[in-house]
Amino acid sequence: MSDVIMQIPVADLIESLKEGYQDYKKSLSDDTGEEDLGHVKGFCTTIEQILAAYGNVTSTEMMKIKNPIIGDVSLSRKNVVDYDTPTFIRQQKD
């Protein structure tokens, strides 16, 4: 296996992010199930993180893309786990 680094133009990732936001908006209007909606949200969040980390795209720039399409909706996961409580105590509560 060779050590090939993928090189994806930032413009292509931004276009994918726009399409992801549009897919999210369409999924909301089509009343898609929570599982499918979660996949779209995860896709958008992942592309946002890649653009921020490797594409030098600021959150302000991404918000300029996002706001006209879906507004100021947070696509982040809800904190479903209390990481401040040790695992063995959380498991005892269940």
Side-chain angles (χ1 to χ4, degrees):
M1 198 173 208
S2 65
D3 292 334
V4 176
I5 297 175
M6 287 185 5
Q7 295 183 2
I8 303 170
V10 172
D12 289 353
L13 287 172
I14 289 174
E15 189 59 34
S16 292
L17 184 59
K18 285 179 188 175
E19 290 173 9
Y21 292 149
Q22 291 165 346
D23 193 21
Y24 177 80
K25 183 177 182 177
K26 184 177 182 323
S27 295
L28 283 177
S29 66
D30 291 349
D31 199 26
T32 303
E34 285 296 316
E35 186 175 328
D36 287 339
L37 202 55
H39 287 290
V40 175
K41 289 168 71 172
F43 171 80
C44 291
T45 302
T46 301
I47 298 297
E48 289 172 348
Q49 291 170 347
I50 292 169
L51 285 168
Y54 302 106
N56 296 320
V57 178
T58 66
S59 59
T60 302
E61 291 172 301
M62 286 185 262
M63 290 303 288
K64 287 179 184 176
I65 297 166
K66 179 180 174 183
N67 277 338
I69 301 170
I70 62 172
D72 197 18
V73 175
S74 173
L75 300 178
S76 300
R77 290 182 66 197
K78 294 178 182 142
N79 189 8
V80 294
V81 178
D82 175 14
Y83 291 111
D84 294 328
T85 305
T87 303
F88 73 96
I89 294 174
R90 286 195 318 260
Q91 290 174 344
Q92 289 174 355
K93 290 180 183 179
D94 294 341

